[in-house]
């Protein structure tokens, strides 16, 4: 009888602790969401200000939801590409539209595979992150090539980019 009473008291204490931890987790989640939102809008404001200073009319965003890295699968990649990143892209589209700029989501497939100058295949003599084009004399990081090609694709495909109803940004559907 004493053991049952002791077990009941312990169970009650654990349930109380569990309830407190659940409340704390919800509060932390709300705080994280608020911080992510604030960071997203700060990021978007900085990017739009830089674009306006540079005289740009289009902001290209690489859409990582369309890219599937080998061996990880679309589910993991989609989870990684979402949440804070998508929130930042949405904030960027919103603030850019208010400033009169167009944002374009560009599919990630093949953005760092070809030379931005001559569209030749890029060689990787020093591993995954290097990018060398022998014909054009380019020897840079593959992220640089991807950034230039993303911008190039956004500008060239802007006339074919479609805008979803109610969305502030355009999406390039084909690669």
């Amino acid at each position: 009888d004493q053991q049952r009473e002791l077990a009941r008291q312990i169970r009650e204490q654990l349930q109380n602790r569990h309830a407190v931890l659940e409340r704390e987790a919800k509060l932390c989640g709300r705080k994280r969401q608020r911080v992510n939102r604030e960071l997203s809008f700060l990021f978007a404001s900085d990017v739009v200000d830089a674009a306006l200073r540079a005289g740009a009319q289009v902001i290209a965003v690489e859409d990582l939801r369309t890219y599937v890295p080998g061996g990880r699968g679309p589910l993991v990649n989609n989870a990684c590409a979402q949440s804070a990143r998508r929130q930042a892209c949405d904030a960027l589209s919103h603030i850019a539209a208010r400033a009169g700029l167009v944002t374009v989501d560009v599919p990630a497939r093949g953005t760092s595979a070809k030379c931005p100058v001559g569209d030749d295949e890029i060689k990787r003599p020093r591993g995954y992150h290097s990018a060398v084009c022998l014909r054009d004399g380019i020897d840079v990081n593959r992220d640089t090539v991807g950034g230039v090609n993303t911008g190039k694709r956004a500008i060239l495909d802007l006339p074919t980019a479609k805008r979803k109803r109610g969305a502030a940004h355009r999406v390039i559907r084909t690669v």
Side-chain angles (χ1 to χ4, degrees):
D1 206 30
Q2 259 184 342
Q3 285 181 334
R4 285 184 187 191
E5 181 61 27
L6 183 61
R8 189 190 62 73
Q9 288 175 352
I10 291 173
R11 188 179 318 110
E12 190 176 302
Q13 287 175 349
L14 288 174
Q15 286 172 341
N16 290 339
R17 286 182 188 174
H18 187 266
V20 168
L21 289 174
E22 275 187 339
R23 278 194 304 275
E24 287 295 320
K26 285 181 183 177
L27 289 174
C28 287
R30 286 190 198 120
K31 186 173 186 176
R32 182 181 44 79
Q33 284 176 336
R34 190 173 58 249
V35 168
N36 279 346
R37 180 175 160 71
E38 290 172 8
L39 281 174
S40 296
F41 276 92
L42 284 172
F43 156 78
S45 296
D46 287 348
V47 170
V48 169
D49 288 345
L52 290 173
R53 280 194 307 272
Q57 297 173 355
V58 177
I59 298 174
V61 179
E62 190 174 34
D63 187 5
L64 295 177
R65 290 177 300 172
T66 60
Y67 178 69
V68 181
R72 291 181 186 84
L75 233 162
V76 171
N77 191 65
N78 199 26
C80 294
Q82 296 308 309
S83 62
R85 183 187 178 282
R86 193 75 244 160
Q87 195 172 17
C89 290
D90 289 344
L92 178 62
S93 296
H94 175 75
I95 291 179
R98 288 175 63 192
L101 299 174
V102 175
T103 57
V104 180
D105 286 350
V106 178
R109 177 64 60 202
T111 52
S112 59
K114 294 191 176 191
C115 174
V117 178
D119 283 338
D120 297 327
E121 282 295 317
I122 291 286
K123 307 283 187 241
R124 305 201 191 294
R126 292 179 306 282
Y128 182 76
H129 290 287
S130 69
V132 176
C133 178
L134 300 175
R135 192 180 108 193
D136 298 316
I138 293 175
D139 186 356
V140 293
N141 187 299
R142 113 185 230 116
D143 292 336
T144 304
V145 170
V148 172
N149 283 338
T150 299
K152 181 178 157 185
R153 191 181 291 172
I155 292 169
L156 292 176
D157 293 344
L158 187 60
T160 63
K162 304 289 186 218
R163 186 176 70 82
K164 288 182 185 176
R165 183 176 296 163
H169 62 280
R170 297 181 187 186
V171 178
I172 296 174
R173 299 240 183 256
T174 58
V175 177

